[in-house]
Amino acid sequence: MMLLHAAVLLPLLFTIFVPLLYKAFPKLHTGWAVLAVPVVLFVFFVMQIPGQMNGGSAQSAAIPWIPALDISFALVLDGLSLLFALLITGIGALVVLYSISYLSRDKEAIHRFYVYLLLFMGAMLGVVLSDNLIVLYGFWELTSLSSFLLIAFWYKRDRSRYGALKSMLITVAGGFAMLGGFVLLYVMGGTFSIRELVAGLDGFSGDALFVPAMLLVLLGAFTKSAQFPFHIWLPDAMEAPTPVSAYLHSATMVKAGLYLVARMSPVFAGEAVWFWLVSGVGLATLLWGSYCAVRQTDLKAVLAYSTISQLGLIMSLLGIGSAAAHQGMAEDAVAAYAGAIAAALFHLFNHATFKGTLFMVVGIVDHETGTRDLRRLGGLMALMPVTFALALVASFSMAGIPPFNGFLSKEMFFTGALKAAELSLFGVPGWSALFPIIAWAASVFTFIYCMIVVFKTFAGRFKAEALDHKPHEAPLLMLVPPAVLASLVIVVGLFPGLVAGSLIEPALAAVLPAQADAYHVKITMWHGWTTELFMTIGVVAVGIALFLTLRYWQGIYALLPGRLTFNRVYDGLLRVLDRGSLFLTGRYMTGSLRHYLIYIFAFMIGLLGWMMLRLDVLGGGSPVYAELSFYEVVLVAVIVLAALAVPLAASRLTAILLTGAVGYIVSLLFVVLRAPDLALTQLIVETVSVTLFLLCFYHLPKLRKEMAPLPFKLGNALISVGVGLVVTTIALVVSGARKFDSISDFFIAQSYELAGGRNMVNVILVDFRGFDTLLEIMVLGIASLGIYALIKLRLADGEGGERLENK
Amino acid sequence: MKTNDVILQSAAKLVVFVILTFSAYLFLSGHHEPGGGFIGGLMSAAALVLLALAYDLDTIRSVLPVNYRIVTATGLLLAILTGAGSFLFDRPFLSHAFDYFTLPLLGKTELATAVLFDLGVYLAVVGVTMTIILSIGEDR
């Protein structure tokens, strides 16, 4: 079915037309054209619902991409993917509609905005529909990238760039970890396809790499879904335009991590580590996020922490539900834990609806009053009645108050937490008793901040003096998208069966393929006087009491999180990395050539010396040495004396002449060792180089001319002695370890036969190995041109450059 | 204040030809005796340097109006073309050939393509050496 591919690629392809449309129709708000994309996709995915209901089979399509690496552009549409795809396209359509009135065409670069947004939409669809892990990872990083671009949409603000960088660093770090986990899965399972991995699970679930792979994949999911302690990027990402916050940071991107956890559940859920990590981190995020949300004064910050906390809730439910995958549990227990997964999926849907509404409402308030600061807002109820009604519905749903959909999923959450308390599967049963307690405490905080969002903004005294202009109700167009979402909140709350059978159950079947038959999703508003209901009543009672006394106990926030925030850890870590690397680089990159030479030589001594000791080469071999002649002894003695005198010479002139002496004696050595060509060449080249040295010496600057001998440095002496020792040892060892004959016999025998020359050296140079000579004379040519250019081309003083131009 | 180098200049006039002859000998005998393009080239350059010492650079340039960078380029080109010439006979790069010919004046003589290659080396070395020395000498 190539339609799936078209669905994923449509938003990506449409990005090409956005700038064209923007230029071609100067009157039209580009958002209207863009709106068609998510609407078409939404209709397409709605039409897929009947096929997925009642145990319908997943649809799949694959296009080979890199077959040699087992990477194919494979897409699968099952219940879970469909649920996410509907959220992405549905809320995407509403967000595009909302942004038409939120972002003005005249003031904002909306063509860029829609390009990024469509890029994100396509990437997100790719994430939820991909079956191939590598393709999933590619889309995953594309969401990080487009989210980075969207957060920094107002790139002239410092805070936007800071937030964008932070989210980029954290999510990409997690993405890399996830890629590592995927590679490990491939190493174990031999395939990148998720479905094939699930099918072949028995073959590798006991592998030593299994748990590391799981931890790495979880790291990716936790960073993306803003789980504790990686949640810190989400509040800073609120610098993005509000439609972006509503879309990415409440409804879609932050749920990519949840999607990954749900998608990989069939692979990993059997492990106890998975259960404890997912549910534990989820609960920690839930509690910390809801606790922190209460103390925020910025509306969007409240919503950011509330998103973190709700994501933690869903994550913990996914963790609790993973218990259903364990072997040897009673039928009803499996059904109960599967209920936790159903609760997670249901709350995921609900959260997307009410959080999207709330973000849009906050955007309206911001748009109409010019501030999001809770201390300046108040009493907007009479001025903005529709907005108030929408905020009320969404907040009460988030707080878990009937008759809204949040109530239902919160009840199911309590059921799951209570069920988890009974769990004695993995030992330490005492710990699992914490589940309902944390869940309840977090719900109280959730209730408090929900009330803050509604009543601090809309109730109380109207502070006209704090606002720049008199606020009024938002335009109709801006109210439509949150109204649609809020009506979903109510409709789903009253008739949960609408989504339970059509969306949640197929998704549940995808998360728990083996246990799907054991559980059928039944969500009812009234389910008797159960423990969960009493817990909810308690949440409301305690929540109201605490909300009314907020100002008396708010002081604990100054004490408890006070300095203990993870932002400080992040900032400190960046600073330490920054300064640490600067310090380290400053220590060894001194800019002094002397130091670099010391590193190079010390490394050479260390490596070669260590290898010689390791390979134990010193003892082996019995070199055969030739007889030393009298001339050789004398010449070598003179060379040694001359060379030793060079560093001790007081004047540079002496050093130059001594170097020349060494060179001439070397040419004499060539004579003694019967190399006439070398001797001739050495003689002339030495003459030339000594002349050039003298030239340099003559032109030394008169200022601070030092005539003293080199100062003695012990380190340098040690290094030079070390290099000499190592090289000498290697030379001795190598000459004693000749493994095969030299090829010189061939040259001796054939130089006249094949090349017609009796001077073997010359024959080798121009005939046997002529290619080397060719390149060597090229080296000479380049050197001469280099010298010519260095001398003639003096752009700095102007004169030389001019002279060259005049020629 | 210019000194009168008449002895040096007169000697140079003679010695330069001796050196040039010797360098030609070194070059031509390179295939069988010690020598070859490299040393021959250095020797020829030495002769020119002697001229430059005895006279001055302007004299050298008026007597031998040669651009030594072109000499270098010619030498490199000759070496490469000699190597590439073996392609004409469907042989690998730089395959040399030699044979014996009976020439009118010299009698039986060996002619080898390697000498052409060596000539390239010779020219390149002369050009390089003279370029370096003349550009340093002209500085200031």
Short mmCIF file of all heavy atoms in Angstrom, two decimals, chain A residues 676-677 681 695 699 752-759 762 766-767 770-771 774 777-778 780-781 788 791-792 794, chain B residues 30-35 38-39 42 69 76 79-80 93-94 96 98 100 110 117-118 128 132 135-136 138-140:
data_model
loop_
_atom_site.label_atom_id
_atom_site.label_comp_id
_atom_site.label_asym_id
_atom_site.label_seq_id
_atom_site.Cartn_x
_atom_site.Cartn_y
_atom_site.Cartn_z
N PRO A 676 79.83 6.42 -5.49
CA PRO A 676 80.36 7.65 -6.11
C PRO A 676 79.26 8.66 -6.45
O PRO A 676 79.45 9.86 -6.23
CB PRO A 676 81.06 7.15 -7.37
CG PRO A 676 80.51 5.79 -7.61
CD PRO A 676 80.14 5.22 -6.30
N ASP A 677 78.11 8.18 -6.97
CA ASP A 677 77.04 9.13 -7.32
C ASP A 677 76.57 9.88 -6.09
O ASP A 677 76.39 11.09 -6.11
CB ASP A 677 75.87 8.37 -7.93
CG ASP A 677 76.24 7.77 -9.26
OD1 ASP A 677 76.09 8.47 -10.27
OD2 ASP A 677 76.70 6.62 -9.27
N THR A 681 76.83 13.95 -5.36
CA THR A 681 75.63 14.73 -5.07
C THR A 681 75.71 15.34 -3.68
O THR A 681 75.42 16.52 -3.48
CB THR A 681 74.40 13.82 -5.17
OG1 THR A 681 74.51 13.05 -6.35
CG2 THR A 681 73.14 14.64 -5.22
N LEU A 695 73.77 32.51 4.36
CA LEU A 695 72.91 33.62 3.94
C LEU A 695 71.93 33.99 5.06
O LEU A 695 71.76 35.16 5.41
CB LEU A 695 72.15 33.19 2.69
CG LEU A 695 71.44 34.28 1.93
CD1 LEU A 695 72.46 35.15 1.24
CD2 LEU A 695 70.50 33.67 0.92
N HIS A 699 71.68 37.52 7.62
CA HIS A 699 70.52 38.41 7.69
C HIS A 699 69.80 38.36 9.02
O HIS A 699 68.70 38.85 9.14
CB HIS A 699 69.54 38.07 6.57
CG HIS A 699 70.05 38.48 5.24
ND1 HIS A 699 70.15 39.78 4.86
CD2 HIS A 699 70.54 37.75 4.21
CE1 HIS A 699 70.66 39.85 3.65
NE2 HIS A 699 70.91 38.63 3.24
N TYR A 752 72.34 -4.16 -17.05
CA TYR A 752 72.86 -4.02 -18.41
C TYR A 752 72.00 -4.77 -19.41
O TYR A 752 71.73 -4.29 -20.50
CB TYR A 752 74.30 -4.51 -18.47
CG TYR A 752 74.95 -4.15 -19.78
CD1 TYR A 752 75.29 -2.82 -20.04
CD2 TYR A 752 75.17 -5.11 -20.77
CE1 TYR A 752 75.84 -2.46 -21.25
CE2 TYR A 752 75.71 -4.75 -21.97
CZ TYR A 752 76.06 -3.43 -22.22
OH TYR A 752 76.59 -3.07 -23.42
N GLU A 753 71.51 -5.91 -19.03
CA GLU A 753 70.70 -6.73 -19.93
C GLU A 753 69.41 -6.01 -20.33
O GLU A 753 69.08 -5.92 -21.50
CB GLU A 753 70.34 -8.05 -19.24
CG GLU A 753 71.48 -9.00 -19.06
CD GLU A 753 72.07 -9.39 -20.41
OE1 GLU A 753 71.27 -9.69 -21.32
OE2 GLU A 753 73.30 -9.33 -20.56
N LEU A 754 68.74 -5.51 -19.33
CA LEU A 754 67.41 -4.96 -19.60
C LEU A 754 67.45 -3.49 -19.96
O LEU A 754 66.66 -3.02 -20.78
CB LEU A 754 66.50 -5.15 -18.38
CG LEU A 754 66.04 -6.57 -18.11
CD1 LEU A 754 65.18 -6.62 -16.87
CD2 LEU A 754 65.23 -7.09 -19.30
N ALA A 755 68.33 -2.72 -19.30
CA ALA A 755 68.28 -1.28 -19.47
C ALA A 755 69.48 -0.73 -20.22
O ALA A 755 69.54 0.46 -20.52
CB ALA A 755 68.18 -0.60 -18.12
N GLY A 756 70.45 -1.56 -20.52
CA GLY A 756 71.57 -1.12 -21.32
C GLY A 756 72.46 -0.13 -20.61
O GLY A 756 73.08 0.71 -21.27
N GLY A 757 72.54 -0.17 -19.29
CA GLY A 757 73.41 0.76 -18.60
C GLY A 757 74.28 0.04 -17.60
O GLY A 757 73.86 -0.94 -17.00
N ARG A 758 75.51 0.53 -17.42
CA ARG A 758 76.37 -0.13 -16.45
C ARG A 758 76.34 0.58 -15.11
O ARG A 758 76.72 0.00 -14.10
CB ARG A 758 77.81 -0.18 -16.99
CG ARG A 758 77.97 -1.20 -18.09
CD ARG A 758 79.43 -1.47 -18.40
NE ARG A 758 79.55 -2.11 -19.71
CZ ARG A 758 79.58 -1.44 -20.84
NH1 ARG A 758 79.49 -0.12 -20.83
NH2 ARG A 758 79.67 -2.09 -21.98
N ASN A 759 75.92 1.83 -15.09
CA ASN A 759 75.79 2.53 -13.81
C ASN A 759 74.47 2.14 -13.18
O ASN A 759 73.41 2.65 -13.54
CB ASN A 759 75.86 4.05 -14.03
CG ASN A 759 75.75 4.81 -12.73
OD1 ASN A 759 75.51 4.22 -11.68
ND2 ASN A 759 75.93 6.11 -12.81
N ASN A 762 72.23 4.85 -11.58
CA ASN A 762 71.52 5.69 -12.53
C ASN A 762 70.41 4.93 -13.23
O ASN A 762 69.34 5.46 -13.50
CB ASN A 762 72.52 6.26 -13.54
CG ASN A 762 71.95 7.48 -14.22
OD1 ASN A 762 71.29 8.27 -13.57
ND2 ASN A 762 72.17 7.60 -15.52
N VAL A 766 66.61 6.23 -13.34
CA VAL A 766 65.86 6.70 -14.51
C VAL A 766 65.03 5.60 -15.16
O VAL A 766 64.13 5.89 -15.93
CB VAL A 766 66.79 7.32 -15.58
CG1 VAL A 766 67.53 8.49 -15.00
CG2 VAL A 766 67.75 6.30 -16.15
N ASP A 767 65.33 4.34 -14.87
CA ASP A 767 64.62 3.29 -15.59
C ASP A 767 63.77 2.43 -14.66
O ASP A 767 62.54 2.50 -14.69
CB ASP A 767 65.64 2.43 -16.34
CG ASP A 767 64.97 1.62 -17.44
OD1 ASP A 767 63.77 1.35 -17.31
OD2 ASP A 767 65.65 1.27 -18.42
N GLY A 770 62.05 4.94 -12.30
CA GLY A 770 61.99 6.29 -12.87
C GLY A 770 60.85 7.14 -12.33
O GLY A 770 60.95 8.36 -12.29
N PHE A 771 59.83 6.45 -11.90
CA PHE A 771 58.66 7.20 -11.43
C PHE A 771 58.99 8.04 -10.20
O PHE A 771 58.57 9.19 -10.08
CB PHE A 771 57.54 6.21 -11.11
CG PHE A 771 56.19 6.83 -11.07
CD1 PHE A 771 55.67 7.41 -12.21
CD2 PHE A 771 55.46 6.84 -9.91
CE1 PHE A 771 54.42 8.00 -12.18
CE2 PHE A 771 54.21 7.43 -9.88
CZ PHE A 771 53.69 8.01 -11.02
N LEU A 774 60.82 11.08 -11.29
CA LEU A 774 59.91 12.05 -11.90
C LEU A 774 59.25 12.91 -10.82
O LEU A 774 59.20 14.14 -10.92
CB LEU A 774 58.84 11.27 -12.68
CG LEU A 774 57.82 12.10 -13.42
CD1 LEU A 774 58.50 12.95 -14.47
CD2 LEU A 774 56.78 11.22 -14.06
N ILE A 777 61.81 15.33 -9.04
CA ILE A 777 62.13 16.61 -9.70
C ILE A 777 60.92 17.52 -9.66
O ILE A 777 61.05 18.75 -9.65
CB ILE A 777 62.64 16.42 -11.15
CG1 ILE A 777 61.65 15.65 -12.00
CG2 ILE A 777 64.00 15.75 -11.17
CD1 ILE A 777 62.11 15.54 -13.45
N MET A 778 59.74 16.95 -9.55
CA MET A 778 58.56 17.81 -9.33
C MET A 778 58.66 18.49 -7.97
O MET A 778 58.33 19.67 -7.83
CB MET A 778 57.29 16.99 -9.41
CG MET A 778 56.63 17.08 -10.76
SD MET A 778 55.22 16.03 -10.80
CE MET A 778 55.26 15.62 -12.52
N LEU A 780 61.34 19.29 -6.43
CA LEU A 780 62.31 20.38 -6.59
C LEU A 780 61.67 21.58 -7.27
O LEU A 780 61.85 22.73 -6.84
CB LEU A 780 63.50 19.89 -7.42
CG LEU A 780 64.45 18.95 -6.71
CD1 LEU A 780 65.56 18.53 -7.66
CD2 LEU A 780 65.05 19.65 -5.50
N GLY A 781 60.91 21.31 -8.33
CA GLY A 781 60.26 22.41 -9.05
C GLY A 781 59.31 23.18 -8.14
O GLY A 781 59.31 24.42 -8.12
N TYR A 788 60.56 31.28 -5.01
CA TYR A 788 60.35 32.43 -5.90
C TYR A 788 59.14 33.24 -5.44
O TYR A 788 59.20 34.47 -5.32
CB TYR A 788 60.14 31.91 -7.32
CG TYR A 788 59.89 32.99 -8.34
CD1 TYR A 788 60.94 33.78 -8.80
CD2 TYR A 788 58.62 33.22 -8.83
CE1 TYR A 788 60.73 34.78 -9.73
CE2 TYR A 788 58.39 34.22 -9.75
CZ TYR A 788 59.45 34.99 -10.20
OH TYR A 788 59.23 35.97 -11.12
N ILE A 791 59.67 35.14 -2.14
CA ILE A 791 60.52 36.33 -2.23
C ILE A 791 59.84 37.44 -3.04
O ILE A 791 59.87 38.61 -2.67
CB ILE A 791 61.88 35.94 -2.83
CG1 ILE A 791 62.65 35.15 -1.78
CG2 ILE A 791 62.66 37.16 -3.26
CD1 ILE A 791 63.93 34.57 -2.28
N LYS A 792 59.22 37.06 -4.14
CA LYS A 792 58.67 38.09 -5.02
C LYS A 792 57.33 38.62 -4.54
O LYS A 792 57.01 39.78 -4.73
CB LYS A 792 58.48 37.52 -6.43
CG LYS A 792 59.76 37.04 -7.06
CD LYS A 792 60.58 38.18 -7.58
CE LYS A 792 61.92 37.66 -8.07
NZ LYS A 792 62.79 38.72 -8.54
N ARG A 794 55.31 39.92 -2.07
CA ARG A 794 55.20 40.46 -0.72
C ARG A 794 54.06 41.44 -0.70
O ARG A 794 54.23 42.62 -0.93
CB ARG A 794 56.49 41.16 -0.34
CG ARG A 794 57.53 40.16 0.03
CD ARG A 794 58.72 40.86 0.57
NE ARG A 794 59.85 39.97 0.52
CZ ARG A 794 61.10 40.40 0.48
NH1 ARG A 794 61.33 41.70 0.43
NH2 ARG A 794 62.08 39.56 0.46
N GLY B 30 76.42 9.23 -17.67
CA GLY B 30 75.67 8.77 -16.50
C GLY B 30 75.17 7.36 -16.60
O GLY B 30 75.02 6.68 -15.59
N HIS B 31 74.93 6.89 -17.81
CA HIS B 31 74.33 5.57 -17.93
C HIS B 31 75.32 4.46 -17.59
O HIS B 31 74.92 3.39 -17.17
CB HIS B 31 73.80 5.39 -19.36
CG HIS B 31 72.51 4.64 -19.40
ND1 HIS B 31 71.46 4.88 -18.54
CD2 HIS B 31 72.09 3.62 -20.21
CE1 HIS B 31 70.45 4.08 -18.81
NE2 HIS B 31 70.81 3.30 -19.81
N HIS B 32 76.58 4.79 -17.77
CA HIS B 32 77.57 3.73 -17.54
C HIS B 32 78.55 4.06 -16.42
O HIS B 32 79.07 3.15 -15.78
CB HIS B 32 78.36 3.46 -18.82
CG HIS B 32 77.49 2.91 -19.91
ND1 HIS B 32 76.89 1.68 -19.82
CD2 HIS B 32 77.10 3.42 -21.09
CE1 HIS B 32 76.15 1.46 -20.91
NE2 HIS B 32 76.26 2.51 -21.69
N GLU B 33 78.82 5.34 -16.22
CA GLU B 33 79.79 5.74 -15.20
C GLU B 33 79.04 6.58 -14.16
O GLU B 33 77.91 7.00 -14.39
CB GLU B 33 80.90 6.61 -15.84
CG GLU B 33 81.55 6.00 -17.05
CD GLU B 33 82.35 4.75 -16.69
OE1 GLU B 33 82.86 4.70 -15.55
OE2 GLU B 33 82.47 3.84 -17.53
N PRO B 34 79.68 6.85 -13.02
CA PRO B 34 79.04 7.74 -12.05
C PRO B 34 78.69 9.08 -12.69
O PRO B 34 79.48 9.61 -13.48
CB PRO B 34 80.10 7.91 -10.97
CG PRO B 34 80.91 6.69 -11.05
CD PRO B 34 80.91 6.28 -12.48
N GLY B 35 77.54 9.58 -12.37
CA GLY B 35 77.08 10.85 -12.95
C GLY B 35 75.61 10.75 -13.26
O GLY B 35 74.90 9.98 -12.64
N PHE B 38 71.20 14.53 -12.54
CA PHE B 38 71.14 15.34 -11.34
C PHE B 38 72.46 16.06 -11.09
O PHE B 38 72.50 17.28 -10.93
CB PHE B 38 70.79 14.43 -10.15
CG PHE B 38 70.29 15.18 -8.97
CD1 PHE B 38 68.95 15.50 -8.87
CD2 PHE B 38 71.16 15.59 -7.98
CE1 PHE B 38 68.49 16.21 -7.78
CE2 PHE B 38 70.71 16.30 -6.90
CZ PHE B 38 69.37 16.61 -6.80
N ILE B 39 73.54 15.27 -11.09
CA ILE B 39 74.84 15.88 -10.82
C ILE B 39 75.24 16.80 -11.97
O ILE B 39 75.76 17.91 -11.76
CB ILE B 39 75.90 14.79 -10.61
CG1 ILE B 39 75.42 13.88 -9.48
CG2 ILE B 39 77.22 15.38 -10.28
CD1 ILE B 39 76.11 12.57 -9.45
N LEU B 42 73.47 20.04 -11.52
CA LEU B 42 74.05 20.84 -10.44
C LEU B 42 75.36 21.47 -10.90
O LEU B 42 75.64 22.64 -10.60
CB LEU B 42 74.30 19.96 -9.22
CG LEU B 42 73.07 19.67 -8.36
CD1 LEU B 42 73.43 18.72 -7.24
CD2 LEU B 42 72.51 20.95 -7.78
N ARG B 69 62.53 29.43 -14.80
CA ARG B 69 61.29 28.71 -14.44
C ARG B 69 60.77 27.95 -15.65
O ARG B 69 60.24 26.86 -15.52
CB ARG B 69 60.25 29.70 -13.93
CG ARG B 69 60.70 30.41 -12.65
CD ARG B 69 59.58 31.20 -12.03
NE ARG B 69 59.07 32.24 -12.90
CZ ARG B 69 59.68 33.40 -13.15
NH1 ARG B 69 60.84 33.65 -12.56
NH2 ARG B 69 59.16 34.29 -13.93
N LEU B 76 60.53 19.17 -16.66
CA LEU B 76 59.44 18.32 -16.15
C LEU B 76 58.61 17.76 -17.29
O LEU B 76 58.27 16.57 -17.33
CB LEU B 76 58.55 19.12 -15.20
CG LEU B 76 59.14 19.43 -13.83
CD1 LEU B 76 58.23 20.36 -13.06
CD2 LEU B 76 59.33 18.14 -13.07
N ALA B 79 60.44 15.01 -19.08
CA ALA B 79 60.43 13.76 -18.31
C ALA B 79 59.08 13.06 -18.42
O ALA B 79 59.00 11.85 -18.63
CB ALA B 79 60.77 14.05 -16.85
N ILE B 80 58.02 13.84 -18.30
CA ILE B 80 56.69 13.23 -18.34
C ILE B 80 56.39 12.70 -19.74
O ILE B 80 55.86 11.59 -19.91
CB ILE B 80 55.63 14.26 -17.91
CG1 ILE B 80 55.78 14.55 -16.42
CG2 ILE B 80 54.23 13.73 -18.18
CD1 ILE B 80 54.92 15.66 -15.93
N PHE B 93 53.63 2.97 -18.49
CA PHE B 93 54.26 4.29 -18.32
C PHE B 93 55.72 4.12 -17.95
O PHE B 93 56.08 3.27 -17.13
CB PHE B 93 53.51 5.04 -17.21
CG PHE B 93 53.94 6.45 -17.02
CD1 PHE B 93 53.76 7.37 -18.04
CD2 PHE B 93 54.52 6.86 -15.83
CE1 PHE B 93 54.15 8.68 -17.87
CE2 PHE B 93 54.90 8.17 -15.66
CZ PHE B 93 54.73 9.08 -16.69
N LEU B 94 56.57 4.95 -18.56
CA LEU B 94 58.00 4.99 -18.26
C LEU B 94 58.74 3.70 -18.62
O LEU B 94 59.70 3.34 -17.98
CB LEU B 94 58.23 5.29 -16.76
CG LEU B 94 58.47 6.75 -16.40
CD1 LEU B 94 58.59 6.90 -14.89
CD2 LEU B 94 59.72 7.26 -17.06
N HIS B 96 61.37 2.15 -20.79
CA HIS B 96 62.43 2.67 -21.65
C HIS B 96 62.85 1.63 -22.69
O HIS B 96 62.59 0.44 -22.55
CB HIS B 96 63.65 3.05 -20.81
CG HIS B 96 63.41 4.29 -20.01
ND1 HIS B 96 62.99 5.45 -20.57
CD2 HIS B 96 63.53 4.52 -18.67
CE1 HIS B 96 62.85 6.37 -19.63
NE2 HIS B 96 63.17 5.82 -18.47
N PHE B 98 66.30 0.77 -25.56
CA PHE B 98 67.63 1.17 -26.01
C PHE B 98 68.06 0.25 -27.14
O PHE B 98 67.55 -0.86 -27.30
CB PHE B 98 68.64 1.12 -24.86
CG PHE B 98 68.93 -0.27 -24.39
CD1 PHE B 98 70.01 -0.98 -24.88
CD2 PHE B 98 68.11 -0.88 -23.45
CE1 PHE B 98 70.27 -2.27 -24.46
CE2 PHE B 98 68.36 -2.16 -23.03
CZ PHE B 98 69.43 -2.85 -23.52
N TYR B 100 71.57 -0.25 -30.23
CA TYR B 100 72.89 0.20 -30.69
C TYR B 100 72.78 0.58 -32.15
O TYR B 100 72.17 -0.11 -32.95
CB TYR B 100 73.93 -0.90 -30.49
CG TYR B 100 74.10 -1.23 -29.03
CD1 TYR B 100 73.35 -2.22 -28.42
CD2 TYR B 100 75.02 -0.51 -28.24
CE1 TYR B 100 73.48 -2.49 -27.08
CE2 TYR B 100 75.17 -0.78 -26.91
CZ TYR B 100 74.40 -1.77 -26.32
OH TYR B 100 74.54 -2.04 -25.00
N GLU B 110 75.33 3.55 -28.35
CA GLU B 110 74.07 3.14 -27.72
C GLU B 110 73.18 4.37 -27.57
O GLU B 110 73.62 5.39 -27.07
CB GLU B 110 74.35 2.53 -26.34
CG GLU B 110 73.08 2.12 -25.65
CD GLU B 110 73.33 1.82 -24.19
OE1 GLU B 110 74.47 1.92 -23.74
OE2 GLU B 110 72.34 1.49 -23.50
N PHE B 117 64.89 11.06 -20.66
CA PHE B 117 64.34 11.27 -19.32
C PHE B 117 65.36 11.99 -18.45
O PHE B 117 65.04 12.94 -17.74
CB PHE B 117 63.98 9.91 -18.71
CG PHE B 117 63.35 9.99 -17.36
CD1 PHE B 117 62.01 10.31 -17.23
CD2 PHE B 117 64.10 9.74 -16.22
CE1 PHE B 117 61.44 10.38 -15.98
CE2 PHE B 117 63.52 9.82 -14.97
CZ PHE B 117 62.18 10.14 -14.85
N ASP B 118 66.62 11.54 -18.54
CA ASP B 118 67.68 12.16 -17.78
C ASP B 118 67.86 13.62 -18.17
O ASP B 118 68.17 14.47 -17.33
CB ASP B 118 68.98 11.39 -17.99
CG ASP B 118 69.65 11.08 -16.66
OD1 ASP B 118 69.02 11.34 -15.63
OD2 ASP B 118 70.79 10.60 -16.67
N VAL B 128 65.75 24.69 -11.41
CA VAL B 128 65.43 24.86 -9.98
C VAL B 128 66.56 25.61 -9.28
O VAL B 128 66.34 26.60 -8.58
CB VAL B 128 65.21 23.47 -9.34
CG1 VAL B 128 65.26 23.57 -7.84
CG2 VAL B 128 63.89 22.91 -9.80
N ILE B 132 66.26 29.39 -7.63
CA ILE B 132 66.45 29.66 -6.20
C ILE B 132 67.53 30.71 -6.01
O ILE B 132 67.34 31.73 -5.33
CB ILE B 132 66.81 28.36 -5.46
CG1 ILE B 132 65.63 27.39 -5.49
CG2 ILE B 132 67.20 28.66 -4.01
CD1 ILE B 132 65.92 26.05 -4.89
N SER B 135 66.59 34.20 -7.43
CA SER B 135 65.57 34.97 -6.69
C SER B 135 66.10 35.42 -5.35
O SER B 135 65.77 36.51 -4.89
CB SER B 135 64.25 34.20 -6.54
OG SER B 135 64.43 32.84 -6.60
N ILE B 136 66.94 34.60 -4.72
CA ILE B 136 67.52 35.07 -3.45
C ILE B 136 68.50 36.20 -3.73
O ILE B 136 68.54 37.21 -3.03
CB ILE B 136 68.20 33.91 -2.71
CG1 ILE B 136 67.15 32.89 -2.29
CG2 ILE B 136 68.94 34.41 -1.49
CD1 ILE B 136 67.72 31.69 -1.60
N GLU B 138 68.53 38.34 -6.17
CA GLU B 138 67.91 39.60 -6.59
C GLU B 138 67.21 40.31 -5.46
O GLU B 138 66.84 41.47 -5.58
CB GLU B 138 66.88 39.33 -7.70
CG GLU B 138 67.51 39.20 -9.07
CD GLU B 138 66.48 38.81 -10.10
OE1 GLU B 138 65.31 38.63 -9.72
OE2 GLU B 138 66.86 38.69 -11.27
N ASP B 139 66.98 39.57 -4.38
CA ASP B 139 66.29 40.19 -3.24
C ASP B 139 67.19 41.29 -2.69
O ASP B 139 68.40 41.16 -2.68
CB ASP B 139 66.03 39.11 -2.19
CG ASP B 139 65.02 39.58 -1.19
OD1 ASP B 139 64.17 40.39 -1.57
OD2 ASP B 139 65.09 39.13 -0.03
N ARG B 140 66.65 42.35 -2.22
CA ARG B 140 67.34 43.55 -1.71
C ARG B 140 67.69 44.48 -2.87
O ARG B 140 68.44 44.10 -3.79
CB ARG B 140 68.64 43.22 -0.96
CG ARG B 140 68.36 42.71 0.43
CD ARG B 140 69.65 42.44 1.15
NE ARG B 140 70.50 41.58 0.38
CZ ARG B 140 71.83 41.73 0.31
NH1 ARG B 140 72.40 42.74 0.91
NH2 ARG B 140 72.57 40.87 -0.35
#
